[in-house]
Amino acid sequence: MSTIFTSSIGKKLMMSLAGFFLLAFLLVHLGINLLVIIYDDPMVYNKVAHFMGTNILVKIFEIVLMGGILLHIIYALILQIQNWIARPKRYSKANYSNTSFFSKFMIHTAIITLVFLAIHFADFYFKAKFGHTETLVVDGVLYHDLATEIVDKFKMLPFVVFYIAAFIFLGFHLVHGFQSAFKTYGLDNSRFTPVIQALAIVYSVVIVGGNTMIPLMIYFS
Amino acid sequence: MDLKLKIWRQKDSQSRGKFVNYKLNDVSPDSSFLEMLDVLNEELVERNEEPIVFDHDCREGICGACGMVINGRPHGPDSLITVCQLHMRKFKHGDTIVIEPWRARAFPLIKDLMVDRYAFDKLIQESGFVSVNTGSAPEANSIPVKKHYADLAMDAAACIGCGACVAACKNASAMLFVGAKVSHLTLLPQGKIEAKERVLQMVAKMDELGFGNCTNTGACEAECPKGITLTNIARLNREYYYAKV
């Protein structure tokens, strides 16, 4: 008998739990990044970034987050490969059906997001952790000037375009992922599901809107 | 009406199949899709060619035997019907109709449009039943069933096991079928007794038979001739977690 970690339903549960955890993280991430455009003083963002980079609880959370990303990717890959194997010969004519549009492109939007994530990590995360960034000393404490780093990056047009495009694709991924997770948890009925579907759209619009607003406002400021 | 037909022909499971084009003239718009294929087969026999093999039985939309993908849709361009209930008036004079078999690893092709859906029988044999003592039928009113649950169980029991859900799903998943069978039995007091074993065994068998994993796209629900809904998949998930904890 298969276990909760190896059965088809179990694997989906693991993937969706990890995915939902990432949904929560995206909100926190957006909230912090909005500080760059809300406050003119770059030190507000730098102080929060400093706290995030040095607090022990946040550091533990960081490991959990990396685990969540890995878990989501590994389970998604296993499921996707099994799904490809389950249909060895494809139909010659594309299947027309009244299905959720974005659900058909989850693996494609996932690959785009993964490429974006690698570039994003190289640009900000690894640079802040291990690379060279400008530093500031305020009240005897050394801060990485990440706010200026962000502003410098988003003054470059190709960078702005790439970030916006990546977030739009991520938004497509989130619309289906958000509402699909609830079905995987077994929560689906005629009253509950329309609310969840509406929430999925609101959530995705907030994430995409917020994250595209940051580069746009910096570029045009 | 005159039609161009592009039909998948494959000698047996080992051969390489290909699409073959046929022209069929003077098709009655009142004929059913299967009758149109019967007419084509008669022409093929007269020309001393091999007729097209396809599954069919009751031709009343209730047995679940017929099934083919017509212009990209299982059971063709209409909702809540099987192929035998599809009529040629749904098509226009001069149309090209592409006809393919169900495509899934768990449903190996036998010949032309006929696939082996024994995997569904294996799922039922595994645990898709209730164990009852033999003897005379019990008094129907001796076990009360709430109307709400009786209705839900009846809706799930409408599944005819045609395989359109697997055919429509981009992952060839059988979750709608298994969800319907688990719901139909588990919602009723008689089926509750073996509910845990049933869901665990059926899910394990479903995975073993090589069906894909559900991604909640809803393609199965959209193509099911009996209107089985995705809520049955959610119930299957719930029952599975409940059985596991």
Side-chain angles (χ1 to χ4, degrees):
Chain A
M1 189 67 68
S2 52
T3 71
I4 194 85
F5 300 105
T6 57
S7 73
S8 57
I9 296 180
K11 282 183 293 223
K12 277 165 30 195
L13 177 68
M14 295 301 146
M15 185 188 73
S16 63
L17 284 173
F20 217 83
F21 171 66
L22 298 178
L23 291 180
F25 163 73
L26 275 177
L27 274 182
V28 177
H29 187 279
L30 172 64
I32 293 172
N33 283 358
L34 282 174
L35 296 175
V36 179
I37 54 169
I38 293 171
Y39 293 97
D40 287 336
D41 179 10
M43 279 317 291
V44 176
Y45 180 80
N46 286 342
K47 280 183 179 169
V48 175
H50 182 77
F51 170 78
M52 299 297 279
T54 49
N55 184 280
I56 184 72
L57 284 177
V58 179
K59 277 182 177 294
I60 295 168
F61 180 79
E62 207 169 57
I63 297 166
V64 177
L65 177 68
M66 294 302 165
I69 295 174
L70 265 182
L71 199 71
H72 189 68
I73 293 172
I74 291 168
Y75 271 113
L77 267 180
I78 296 170
L79 289 164
Q80 182 62 62
I81 290 167
Q82 285 179 334
N83 291 346
W84 278 326
I85 293 171
R87 159 102 10 99
K89 175 119 183 90
R90 306 183 86 77
Y91 294 107
S92 76
K93 198 150 176 155
N95 181 13
Y96 161 82
S97 60
N98 183 26
T99 58
S100 104
F101 176 76
F102 299 123
S103 68
K104 293 179 184 172
F105 305 104
M106 290 303 272
I107 188 69
H108 311 93
T109 49
I111 290 166
I112 294 168
T113 304
L114 194 61
V115 171
F116 166 74
L117 202 62
I119 294 169
H120 181 63
F121 269 36
D123 273 341
F124 293 114
Y125 183 76
F126 290 129
K127 204 165 183 182
K129 283 262 174 213
F130 316 111
H132 176 75
T133 51
E134 295 297 323
T135 50
L136 296 166
V137 179
V138 178
D139 300 333
V141 184
L142 185 76
Y143 294 99
H144 291 281
D145 191 6
L146 295 169
T148 311
E149 188 86 28
I150 293 171
V151 172
D152 288 348
K153 276 263 165 22
F154 289 144
K155 282 288 178 193
M156 295 184 275
L157 184 64
F159 216 75
V160 173
V161 172
F162 171 68
Y163 260 69
I164 291 173
F167 268 107
I168 289 171
F169 283 115
L170 175 65
F172 294 163
H173 195 78
L174 300 178
V175 172
H176 179 68
F178 187 101
Q179 53 106 8
S180 176
F182 284 89
K183 291 198 175 86
T184 302
Y185 305 146
L187 306 169
D188 180 18
N189 70 33
S190 53
R191 267 185 305 169
F192 180 73
T193 301
V195 178
I196 293 301
Q197 282 169 341
L199 270 179
I201 292 169
V202 171
Y203 172 86
S204 306
V205 168
V206 167
I207 292 294
V208 177
N211 281 296
T212 53
M213 202 165 73
I214 296 169
L216 279 178
M217 281 185 69
I218 292 173
Y219 185 75
F220 289 109
S221 66
Chain B
M1 64 173 93
D2 298 345
L3 296 169
K4 294 187 200 89
L5 303 166
K6 195 178 162 190
I7 303 176
W8 185 261
R9 301 300 312 260
Q10 190 170 332
K11 199 169 162 239
D12 52 49
S13 58
Q14 303 306 314
S15 315
R16 273 179 74 87
K18 65 174 193 307
F19 279 104
V20 178
N21 294 312
Y22 298 96
K23 275 188 178 172
L24 193 61
N25 297 333
D26 300 323
V27 176
S28 163
D30 297 325
S31 65
S32 77
F33 199 85
L34 296 187
E35 284 164 348
M36 180 275 293
L37 287 177
D38 292 338
V39 172
L40 175 66
N41 272 346
E42 277 180 24
E43 284 190 12
L44 291 178
V45 170
E46 277 171 22
R47 295 206 300 256
N48 217 16
E49 287 178 36
E50 184 88 2
I52 297 150
V53 173
F54 59 91
D55 265 321
H56 61 105
D57 192 7
C58 76
R59 298 206 177 196
E60 290 177 338
I62 53 163
C63 76
C66 61
M68 52 196 80
V69 174
I70 301 162
N71 287 344
R73 289 187 68 180
H75 294 302
D78 207 348
S79 297
L80 300 171
I81 56 157
T82 51
V83 178
C84 62
Q85 299 301 297
L86 176 67
H87 283 80
M88 296 314 294
R89 53 181 166 268
K90 283 281 168 189
F91 301 91
K92 293 194 301 290
H93 174 78
D95 273 359
T96 300
I97 306 174
V98 182
I99 311 170
E100 296 172 80
W102 285 174
R103 301 248 188 236
R105 185 163 72 105
F107 290 162
L109 194 137
I110 298 170
K111 189 175 171 130
D112 295 339
L113 302 172
M114 181 191 264
V115 296
D116 179 0
R117 281 170 287 185
Y118 189 51
F120 270 9
D121 296 331
K122 284 184 190 161
L123 274 166
I124 298 296
Q125 282 164 9
E126 188 66 20
S127 212
F129 50 80
V130 288
S131 305
V132 289
N133 293 326
T134 52
S136 58
E139 160 58 36
N141 291 325
S142 61
I143 304 174
V145 182
K146 273 194 176 174
K147 174 85 169 77
H148 175 66
Y149 293 116
D151 286 348
L152 288 174
M154 193 65 197
D155 289 346
C159 168
I160 51 175
C162 65
C165 46
V166 176
C169 174
K170 72 180 175 70
N171 312 321
S173 166
M175 284 285 279
L176 194 69
F177 174 77
V178 175
K181 298 303 166 194
V182 163
S183 296
H184 151 207
L185 297 170
T186 305
L187 284 162
L188 299 173
Q190 295 91 333
K192 276 215 185 325
I193 302 150
E194 295 162 299
K196 285 191 177 183
E197 298 94 312
R198 179 184 308 115
V199 69
L200 294 177
Q201 285 169 5
M202 285 188 86
V203 169
K205 193 71 185 175
M206 173 180 78
D207 295 347
E208 182 197 314
L209 288 166
F211 290 105
N213 307 291
C214 172
T215 45
N216 300 313
T217 64
C220 52
E221 180 186 63
E223 300 300 354
C224 175
K226 296 297 160 188
I228 308 290
T229 59
L230 280 187
T231 51
N232 290 289
I233 293 182
R235 186 176 297 108
L236 170 62
N237 289 335
R238 284 201 301 276
E239 289 294 329
Y240 181 80
Y241 304 141
Y242 180 64
K244 275 286 181 197
V245 293

